[in-house]
Structure formats: structure tokens, C-alpha cells
Amino acid sequence: MKRAFVRARRPEHKQQRREAILVAARDLAMASGVRNVSLGAVAEAVGLAKSNIMRYFGTREEIYLILAAEEWRQWAEAVTTRLEASDDVAAALAETLADRPLLCDLLSQTATTLEHNVSIEAARTFKRAILAVIADVGAQVARLTGLRVDEGVELVSAATALAGILYPIANPSPMLAELYAQDPDIAATCPDFLPTLIRALKALLAGLPTLRED
Amino acid sequence: MKRAFVRARRPEHKQQRREAILVAARDLAMASGVRNVSLGAVAEAVGLAKSNIMRYFGTREEIYLILAAEEWRQWAEAVTTRLEASDDVAAALAETLADRPLLCDLLSQTATTLEHNVSIEAARTFKRAILAVIADVGAQVARLTGLRVDEGVELVSAATALAGILYPIANPSPMLAELYAQDPDIAATCPDFLPTLIRALKALLAGLPTLRED
């Protein structure tokens, strides 16, 4: 159902429209996966022409990089809250990621898709946002675990990278789901998101300090 | 430049044509990256119509899944040879992956792209091929390191998953390369493929046995 928007002339209207586009892109991605959402579908959902969307965002990838930066920041807040109550760092990182399917979907697409086809300014803003999150959460991890700060940063980077790998594996296409139903021995090798992520992070937590050269 | 093929009627001609398609798809991917190769480009390179290509392979993703299975098998051979001469398992896994940019590119695309848009038979053949490789190399790793066989399989799975993450990061788009040139502090956070992979595998090698519950 299209809503007919008139051209936004005032700054607050532009801001509203920008927000509406981001909300629509988020909703569509939650419903059908980031990779399946076209700019045309976003335009249709907000009742704007594609050319009109591009006054606000250069490409669909720019929209999703902005949503990704927002998801990273919300994740950092959730981890921070969680680590105030518990010092199980592996579980805190893994469970807060598992709670955020849109973030994990975006993580699975960032390097191979989203960081292509965007302006250098959009890429810079995104990189600075996530580097700030990784530095912040990495420092918290270091404080709680006895890892060095650089090792904390490595652990946080590994957590988000592995979440991006595990997400599409744990959320197979309908065709793969059918294959798993037909061949249970193949399905059995398909890793579960949360236990696999926790185990990898625990192994890294134990293993990283053994690599120090003093 | 198109070569005009006549319709292949004999089995050996069909086999030749199939091989020609695979070779063209491989060459194009090596030159411009898997994500940038369309079925149309493959068709043009072998001088066939797209509809004719589809007598041999259902989709571009099927072509690349077949090439991926072949790359996995060649990698297994290389690791096996390497491990006969050296027991540095982390370096052996990482360096043989670093030697294979096409495999790493395919690994970065498998779960998010290649395993979509293929037939269930193509997916099954691919999964069985790579599970056999992981089991084989995992057993070799276990024998050399004192890891249990299931831990060896985990290490090999981690090696290939991390190679798929690190490849697009270490091979940035022209836009990202320009960003890194402008902002050296952002570039400095971009992990190098080989040392990052070796370090992660060494940490897992040390850490996985600490998680055993006896």
C-alpha cells in the first residue's frame, strides 16, 4: 500500500522521511533477510520513488551500513549492561549477539557486500563507529578477564566475525533446510549458533594469553 | 570475442564444453572476484548463449559451488603434503589457504550467496565433498597435535571460516583502499590475512584442550 508523500522541504520533515526509510529497511530485513531487500522494496514500503530515496541515501548498501552502525552501538550498550552483572565474558558476548538477528545478518554481509557500493564518507563513518565500539567493549573485556587490551579487542573482533559466519549457517535457506531434513547426517554437522560461538570464545580466552612473548 | 560453438551431441563433446565453462568461470573469478562474475559474462567468455550454459549448470552459483568443491579437494592435498614435512599445523593450514585466493574468495561467498539459488542435488554434492575434506584434514591435525579428532575438525572448520572472513577484509574494494590511504589510523586496524589467521589458529590449538570435561 503506497502512501503518497509530498516533497519534504523543512529540515524536520527531511529528518522524519530519513527515519521512515531506515525503519522500513529494518522491517524488511527482519522479515526476509538483508540480502533479499532491494532499494525498490524499501521505496515501495515508504511510498517514495527510488530516485527520491536516493536524495537521502546513495544506495541500499548505505542504508544498511547506517543500520549496522546503530545495531553495533546498541549491542555495545547491551554487553556493557550485561558485564556489570556477570563476568562470564564468553557468554555475555555470545548471548547478546544471539539476541540480535539483524545485527548478525548485517555482520554476515558487511565485508562481502555492504562495504561495496557506498561512498567513501559512508564507509568512513561506519568504520569509525564500529572501531569505537570494538575499542570500548574490548577494554571492558580486558578489565574483566586479565587479557591485555589488544587481546580484548581481538576477542571482540572474533566474536562479531564468528557471529557473521554462524548466522547464515544457522539460518539456512528453504532449500538447505530441505536437504537437512532429507540427510540428517549432513544436518548433524551444521553448527548451532550459541554453543559454537561460546565454545570458540572460551577457547580463544584460554589460548590468547599463551601466545604472549614476554 | 565470441567463438561459435555448434551444439554438442557426443558425450565427450559435452564433457569438453562443461570443462570450458568451468575454466572460463574460474578465470573470470580470478580476474575480478567471484561476486562480480555474472552468468552472462561466463557465457560470453565461452561463446555460448546463457540458455545453453544452463543445459550444463542450473545457475551461476552451481558453477561456483562445483569450483569450490574442487578447490577444497586441492587444498586438502596441499595440506596433506605439507603436514608430511612439518608439524606446525597452524602455519600449514593458514599458508595453504593464503596460497589459494580463489578458494578464500569462494569461502567468503559460500553461506551467504553460493548455497542459495542452487538445486538440492548440487548442495548435497557440495556438502558431502567438503565434509569429507574436513574429516580427512581434521584427523591429520588430531594425529599431529594431540587434539581429539572432533577438536581437529573444529580447528579445520575454524581455519576455513576465518579465511572466508579475512579474505574480503584483506582485499578491499577500490573505495575502501582509498579510505585506507586517506585515514592511516583506520587502515592500521585492518587485519593482515596470514598473521591473523595463524595467531587465531594457535590460540584455538592451545585453548580447545582446556575446555575438555574429563
Side-chain angles (χ1 to χ4, degrees), chain B residues 17-25 42 46 48 53 56-57 63:
Chain B
R17 193 158 290 185
R18 206 181 129 83
E19 284 301 319
I21 294 166
L22 289 171
V23 167
V42 176
V46 290
L48 288 173
I53 297 268
Y56 298 87
F57 303 97
I63 297 175

Side-chain angles (χ1 to χ4, degrees), chain A residues 35 112 115-116 120 124 127-128 154 161 165 175-176 178-180 182-183 185 199 203 206-207 210-211, chain B residues 35 112 115-116 120 124 127-128 154 161 165 175-176 178-180 182-183 185 199 203 206-207 210:
Chain A
R35 70 187 293 279
T112 51
E115 287 181 350
H116 300 251
I120 193 165
R124 188 188 332 262
K127 289 278 189 195
R128 294 222 176 271
E154 278 180 284
I165 295 178
M175 179 278 296
L176 278 184
E178 172 60 24
L179 173 60
Y180 296 153
Q182 289 177 13
D183 292 34
D185 63 317
R199 183 168 161 81
T210 69
L211 306 182
Chain B
R35 70 187 294 278
T112 50
E115 286 181 350
H116 300 252
I120 194 164
R124 187 187 334 263
K127 289 277 189 196
R128 294 224 174 271
E154 279 181 284
I165 295 178
M175 179 277 295
L176 278 184
E178 172 61 24
L179 172 61
Y180 296 153
Q182 290 178 11
D183 293 34
D185 63 317
R199 183 168 161 82
T210 70

Side-chain angles (χ1 to χ4, degrees), chain B residues 201-214:
Chain B
L201 294 178
K202 282 191 193 293
L204 289 171
L205 260 169
L208 282 171
T210 70
L211 305 182
R212 291 176 195 166
E213 291 166 10
D214 296 311

Side-chain angles (χ1 to χ4, degrees), chain B residues 10-191:
Chain B
R10 296 206 210 146
E12 65 268 31
H13 289 172
K14 288 196 177 163
Q15 188 54 33
Q16 280 173 9
R17 193 158 290 185
R18 206 181 129 83
E19 284 301 319
I21 294 166
L22 289 171
V23 167
R26 172 193 296 273
D27 290 349
L28 287 166
M30 293 286 282
S32 50
V34 173
R35 70 187 294 278
N36 297 313
V37 184
S38 66
L39 194 64
V42 176
E44 188 171 342
V46 290
L48 288 173
K50 251 161 80 168
S51 56
N52 212 336
I53 297 268
M54 293 174 79
R55 292 170 192 269
Y56 298 87
F57 303 97
T59 60
R60 76 175 274 285
E61 286 76 17
E62 280 197 24
I63 297 175
Y64 283 110
L65 268 195
I66 289 166
L67 288 173
E70 197 177 300
E71 287 282 323
W72 273 85
R73 279 186 293 260
Q74 289 174 6
W75 174 65
E77 281 175 32
V79 177
T80 302
T81 303
R82 173 72 183 260
L83 290 177
E84 282 162 8
S86 156
D87 60 0
D88 185 343
V89 164
L93 295 175
E95 289 173 11
T96 49
L97 286 163
D99 286 344
R100 288 174 170 69
L102 179 60
L103 174 57
C104 294
D105 191 358
L106 290 162
L107 289 168
S108 79
Q109 307 278 331
T110 300
T112 50
T113 306
L114 300 183
E115 286 181 350
H116 300 252
N117 200 28
V118 298
S119 70
I120 194 164
E121 281 316 314
R124 187 187 334 263
T125 303
F126 174 71
K127 289 277 189 196
R128 294 224 174 271
I130 69 164
L131 289 173
V133 167
I134 291 174
D136 169 28
V137 179
Q140 294 183 54
V141 165
R143 204 159 54 237
L144 285 165
T145 56
L147 289 186
R148 294 185 319 223
V149 170
D150 60 312
E151 293 164 346
V153 164
E154 279 181 284
L155 193 77
V156 173
S157 302
T160 53
L162 291 170
I165 295 178
L166 288 167
Y167 181 80
I169 296 172
N171 294 274
S173 63
M175 179 277 295
L176 278 184
E178 172 61 24
L179 172 61
Y180 296 153
Q182 290 178 11
D183 293 34
D185 63 317
I186 296 180
T189 67
C190 187

